[in-house]
Amino acid sequence: MDKYLVSLAFILLCFECGWLFQDLKIVDLPLFLNGKSEIEAGDPMGKIVRTKKEVRRRPSSSLVWEETNISQNLFAYDTILTLEQSTAEVSLLGDTQITLHENTLVAIEPLQENATDQGPIRLRFRQGSMRAAFGREPQSVKAGDWIVEATSNTKISIRSDGENQFELETYEGEAKIINAKTLATSETIKAGQSIKMEPEKLSEVRKVLELEWFSPKDGQRYYTHQDSIAVPFEWKGV
């Protein structure tokens, strides 16, 4: 009996090693052995339009983060990660444009059963900072205990502000804040408003300062070998 168990364990170990080498791009296993899900073989749900520095993608069927390239297709359950000082621009079905700033982690969820081939797509936002311009289809973003359901042609930004804490701002259109457990709409914010989302708690809706920012540009960094550096700020508004 023991020798059968040992043989079975050895065979399973060989399979595990083969899948690991497949993920590391060392070997190519036959299709029926490579462990890839059929999801990635389906229709793409978007693509990476532009990257800066280190941007990674991890399919649901892999344990390894892969390097990305421009025009690379994205599929359901893909996770995208931008590392320090890195950004990525992603185009999704339904004319949706996403900008991921540094240290941002976002996953793409599959289309709902009653959705059309062009959307809507739900994003699962975990950490970092993201700006989204939703197109002709309503879109939703899950962040912690809340679901942000935006109407078509809505522009928002969302960033993490601690563990399971997020801040949402709407630039155009409007978005509903839905409790992920009860699916009840708790708040609606419109253009020029922001709100903080914490576990089981929402802040009051605030009006965003109307500023037109000129410099420094978003993401711009200054380096110095001295103790301090003068950085000019330029904006229009109160």
Side-chain angles (χ1 to χ4, degrees):
M1 184 67 178
D2 289 342
K3 81 176 173 181
Y4 293 115
L5 292 176
V6 172
S7 299
L8 179 60
F10 179 76
I11 293 173
L12 292 176
L13 178 62
C14 291
F15 277 116
E16 291 288 344
C17 291
W19 291 326
L20 177 60
F21 291 150
Q22 168 77 18
D23 279 340
L24 295 175
K25 309 300 184 184
I26 298 176
V27 299
D28 290 320
L29 294 178
L31 184 61
F32 68 94
L33 289 177
N34 62 20
K36 296 293 184 181
S37 67
E38 295 180 359
I39 295 171
E40 183 167 332
D43 294 332
M45 301 182 69
K47 64 180 179 179
I48 295 176
V49 178
R50 185 177 291 108
T51 62
K52 176 183 177 183
K53 300 193 74 172
E54 298 180 90
V55 180
R56 300 287 185 265
R57 165 185 172 262
R58 186 179 66 188
S60 63
S61 57
S62 175
L63 300 176
V64 178
W65 290 97
E66 303 174 352
E67 293 186 6
T68 59
N69 51 70
I70 297 176
S71 297
Q72 181 176 15
N73 287 330
L74 298 173
F75 301 86
Y77 301 108
D78 278 2
T79 303
I80 308 167
L81 171 67
T82 58
L83 301 181
E84 190 171 352
Q85 301 183 33
S86 303
T87 60
E89 293 184 19
V90 175
S91 176
L92 298 176
L93 297 178
D95 296 331
T96 292
Q97 309 300 321
I98 307 293
T99 300
L100 305 177
H101 299 285
E102 65 176 352
N103 299 320
T104 298
L105 184 65
V106 174
I108 301 176
E109 295 194 345
L111 295 173
Q112 300 175 7
E113 293 182 0
N114 58 349
T116 66
D117 292 339
Q118 297 300 313
I121 296 173
R122 174 178 291 182
L123 299 175
R124 185 178 292 269
F125 180 84
R126 300 184 184 278
Q127 68 178 47
S129 177
M130 177 187 80
R131 185 161 182 149
F134 301 123
R136 60 180 180 272
E137 294 282 350
Q139 304 283 350
S140 62
V141 180
K142 187 175 187 303
D145 295 336
W146 304 96
I147 298 173
V148 179
E149 190 174 273
T151 60
S152 59
N153 301 313
T154 292
K155 294 182 179 179
I156 67 169
S157 68
I158 183 170
R159 67 180 180 88
S160 56
D161 193 24
E163 185 176 357
N164 206 17
Q165 298 180 8
F166 306 90
E167 184 170 0
L168 171 70
E169 182 175 340
T170 302
Y171 301 98
E172 295 181 15
E174 66 177 36
K176 296 179 181 179
I177 313 298
I178 300 174
N179 188 303
K181 295 181 180 179
T182 64
L183 299 182
T185 300
S186 299
E187 191 61 80
T188 300
I189 66 170
K190 300 182 179 180
Q193 296 180 334
S194 68
I195 193 171
K196 287 189 175 182
M197 303 180 292
E198 301 178 355
E200 302 293 337
K201 178 183 177 182
L202 294 176
S203 71
E204 294 184 357
V205 177
R206 302 187 304 273
K207 185 177 180 180
V208 179
L209 294 177
E210 296 182 359
L211 294 177
E212 185 178 1
W213 194 265
F214 298 108
S215 67
K217 298 295 184 181
D218 187 22
Q220 184 173 350
R221 292 172 177 265
Y222 292 85
Y223 298 92
T224 178
H225 294 291
Q226 308 301 321
D227 293 335
S228 62
I229 184 175
V231 179
F233 289 84
E234 183 181 1
W235 70 90
K236 179 181 179 181
V238 179

